Amino acid sequence: MRKTTFLGVVPLLAPVQLLLLVVVILPSIYVVWLSFHVSSFGQAPEFTGWSNYLRVLSDPAFRGAMWNTVVIVVVAVHLEMLMALGMALLFNSGIPFRRILLVAVLAPYAVSEVVAVAMWRFLFDLDIGPITLLMQGLGLPVLEWSYDPVDATVMIVLLTIWMHLPFTFVILYAARLAMPSDLYEAARIDGATRLQCFWRVTLPLMGPAILVALLFRYIFAFRMFSEVWLLTGGGPARSTEVVAVYLYQEAFSYNAFGTASATALLMVAASLVLASGYIWLLRRQVKNAR
Amino acid sequence: MAELRLSGVKKDYGGHSVIKGVDLDIRHGEFVVFVGPSGCGKSTLLRMIAGLEEISGGTLEIGGKRANDVSPRDRGIAMVFQSYALYPHLTVAENMGFGLSLRKTPQAEAAKRVARTAEILQITHLLDRKPSQLSGGQRQRVAIGRAIVRDPSVFLFDEPLSNLDAALRMDMRMEIAKLHRNLGATMIYVTHDQVEAMTLADRIVVLNGGVVQQVGRPIDLFRNPCNAFVAGFIGSPRMNFLPVRVESVDAGMARVAAPGIGPVTVSAGRIAAPGQAILGVRPQILTPGDAEGRCLLHGRVALLERMGTETLVNIRLTDGPSVLAVVPGDLELSPDQDISFSFSPSDARLFPASDLPDPSAIPH
């Protein structure tokens, strides 16, 4: 057998490492460096220490964006989780036309975000949107998302749930499918009602899958950009801005690359905190399940 | 009291009939084994008694009350699954006490019952472990423990030992027999292993194709199988079946012959007229050599299995089929050696040819 040495393997790994270096590692280091400098077009970067971070953290627009992000993340991710769980259990319980419905549920994931937002803008258009007209026809309140901040937020939440539900659903549905049916038979014989089966068998056993889905969705949702940027642009009057949109504005509207970089690193920090909490829970869960 | 009565019990899956009308009375405290080849409907029948499968027709009575539409938890039954079906997220103690906690049994009482059961099954040291930390045999004990804790009137076992290795299976078989003696509960046990059936059962129910073939004490089924299927299924190794021609029937005795066999007079069984038939000869009644009044078979040794305590000789008869003989002790033979075996006609059984439309369909 031929012996593989470390040096023999390096050339094979090099292309991937090089790619990572160029598109991930170097830019990351550059962003860290930038976050400690004042920088804009036509101006030599100038070291300022932590002042970019202080500026961002004391900016009311950033705090507003952070608050919006947290609200949208918490509401959207948990609503989505409940819906996905309900749907996974519904699909598992044997509904008719399961295959066709499965395709229908998964379809939004195949739609590009830009197309999805354009579609929703049309559907909910205040003058000609079919859904707006339908709601009006039924005498229901209309989502005035283009000028009411609350309605706009609701719209963003609905849109992001619609776009990401397939992801959560697939994870939970797969987890439910993987559960052996004889556990339920044993539970039925042990005397469990359907509700008791859910609370005492299904939920604990799906726990790890739910946590994984939540973790991913928290991180995805935290860096949500296109839904907000394309739908409301952060408006009206920056009232629906989320952190990623704030970052974009700083970088490309105000050309303040230093504060934009600081914002990005603050997002990373926040995501890490979120993720580490979940990973801790996950490890405990997995250890318990074993 | 937990006697069971099945009358005309049927199961259809979308027009396909799996259980074709089963009538059976099971007395309180009896150990009944359902046995048959895979797909014979024995597990389905057990699951119908458990309430996991709907009953398409007929009635099931448990303790004198119609139970067709009673939910599993109200039937007073407990079941041990082939896969054990332990809850992976709960400890052994929690698994065993699951049913009690669902019924809101006071914790102290539940803990006491779990501890007592664990003691019976010698799994006290495992109570804090998760199922994944247990061996197959230990899991099986926990599964049985979970059933015992609930103190059911009927225990249902669905091939509980088939995932264990041979040595462990024998140990657990004895444990289950002991358990039945000590608990005195009604037990229904499904298996495809006729040794388990023979050793555990008060009565065996042989099923084939969703139809009960014969019900009776193990030894009665062994001695007086009602048809060739039961004869082939009960007893190990399987009974030899030799196609023969019935030449005459007179006063319950039939004179049969085949190339290389007989003519010989055997008990006619269900045969009433001359024609084709099957002669059933258990491997154990074949002995080497010949003697007065015995029926002789000539052939060559095709295969020899020496177990030390007994020798299995597969003989290809000069004029047709192979037969298997089990001879006590060690027998030194060489392959292809010419050999004669004989049996006493009174030990052979005669079956109608219609019993075995396809002789190769009998398992073993």
Side-chain angles (χ1 to χ4, degrees), chain A residues 141-192:
Chain A
V142 168
L143 272 183
E144 292 163 340
W145 54 274
S146 57
Y147 53 87
D148 181 334
V150 174
D151 281 10
T153 310
V154 169
M155 178 88 163
I156 291 168
V157 167
L158 288 178
L159 173 56
T160 194
I161 289 179
W162 179 82
M163 276 194 332
H164 296 282
L165 186 65
F167 173 83
T168 315
F169 167 76
V170 161
I171 291 184
L172 297 190
Y173 185 44
R176 180 62 190 84
L177 283 182
M179 284 170 61
S181 61
D182 54 11
L183 279 186
Y184 288 92
E185 294 180 342
R188 275 173 71 194
I189 287 183
D190 269 342

Side-chain angles (χ1 to χ4, degrees), chain B residues 5 13 42 55 104 106 112 114 136 149 156 171 180 190 198 204 222 249 251 256 272 275 282 293 306 308 325 328:
Chain B
R5 169 166 292 160
Y13 287 111
K42 56 190 189 300
I55 296 172
K104 309 237 171 359
K112 213 165 71 189
V114 168
V149 164
L156 305 176
D171 289 348
H180 176 243
V190 162
M198 292 294 285
I204 293 179
F222 181 81
V249 183
V256 301
R282 290 213 185 270
R306 293 166 70 180

Side-chain angles (χ1 to χ4, degrees), chain B residues 15-27:
Chain B
H16 178 64
S17 176
V18 185
I19 302 286
K20 297 168 183 160
V22 168
D23 298 297
L24 189 63
D25 280 320
I26 297 174
R27 290 182 291 273

Side-chain angles (χ1 to χ4, degrees), chain B residues 43-306:
Chain B
S43 278
T44 308
L45 192 58
L46 189 80
R47 292 166 57 82
M48 286 158 79
I49 294 172
L52 296 173
E53 299 278 354
E54 241 169 77
I55 296 172
S56 314
T59 54
L60 163 71
E61 285 175 32
I62 300 178
K65 284 190 211 100
R66 188 184 142 96
N68 283 39
D69 307 310
V70 177
S71 76
R73 67 170 169 277
D74 298 324
R75 291 190 184 197
I77 46 130
M79 186 156 165
V80 178
F81 293 82
Q82 180 179 0
S83 61
Y84 320 133
L86 299 178
Y87 310 113
H89 58 298
L90 302 179
T91 63
V92 167
E94 288 165 339
N95 260 287
M96 288 167 67
F98 190 75
L100 297 179
S101 81
L102 290 176
R103 272 152 217 257
K104 309 237 171 359
T105 311
Q107 269 194 348
E109 154 86 6
K112 213 165 71 189
R113 278 164 75 173
V114 168
R116 202 172 50 221
T117 308
E119 217 166 288
I120 296 175
L121 294 166
Q122 294 158 17
I123 49 174
T124 307
H125 60 295
L126 304 175
L127 284 177
D128 294 326
R129 296 209 197 154
K130 290 278 171 66
S132 57
Q133 299 167 306
L134 305 179
S135 69
Q138 290 170 332
R139 285 181 207 187
Q140 189 53 265
R141 278 167 196 271
V142 176
I144 293 174
R146 184 170 64 182
I148 296 175
V149 164
R150 292 186 41 224
D151 194 20
S153 40
V154 183
F155 281 86
L156 305 176
F157 293 92
D158 190 5
E159 308 217 16
L161 306 185
S162 47
N163 287 356
L164 301 179
D165 64 54
L168 209 50
R169 204 178 307 161
M170 204 164 122
D171 289 348
M172 285 306 291
R173 207 167 67 206
M174 287 195 244
E175 294 243 2
I176 290 175
K178 210 168 74 189
L179 214 59
H180 176 243
R181 234 184 12 249
N182 295 340
L183 298 174
T186 310
M187 294 189 174
I188 306 178
Y189 188 107
V190 162
T191 181
H192 61 264
D193 180 347
Q194 58 96 20
V195 177
E196 278 173 31
M198 292 294 285
T199 50
L200 286 171
D202 292 327
R203 277 194 304 158
I204 293 179
V205 177
V206 182
L207 283 152
N208 188 31
V211 179
V212 172
Q213 303 290 310
Q214 193 172 4
V215 183
R217 293 193 310 150
I219 201 65
D220 293 340
L221 260 56
F222 181 81
R223 288 200 185 126
N224 297 308
C226 71
N227 60 30
F229 180 84
V230 176
F233 204 85
I234 302 292
S236 170
R238 179 165 90 90
M239 182 183 263
N240 296 300
F241 292 116
L242 305 168
V244 292
R245 248 186 54 75
V246 177
E247 289 171 348
S248 63
V249 183
D250 181 35
M253 299 305 277
R255 191 173 167 78
V256 301
I261 303 172
V264 59
T265 306
V266 297
S267 166
R270 284 150 57 217
I271 305 283
Q276 291 299 316
I278 300 164
L279 189 65
V281 179
R282 290 213 185 270
Q284 291 83 354
I285 66 167
L286 284 168
T287 51
D290 193 12
E292 182 70 21
R294 291 176 72 85
C295 178
L296 195 66
L297 299 175
H298 268 300
R300 280 167 184 278
V301 175
L303 196 71
L304 196 64
E305 291 174 293
R306 293 166 70 180

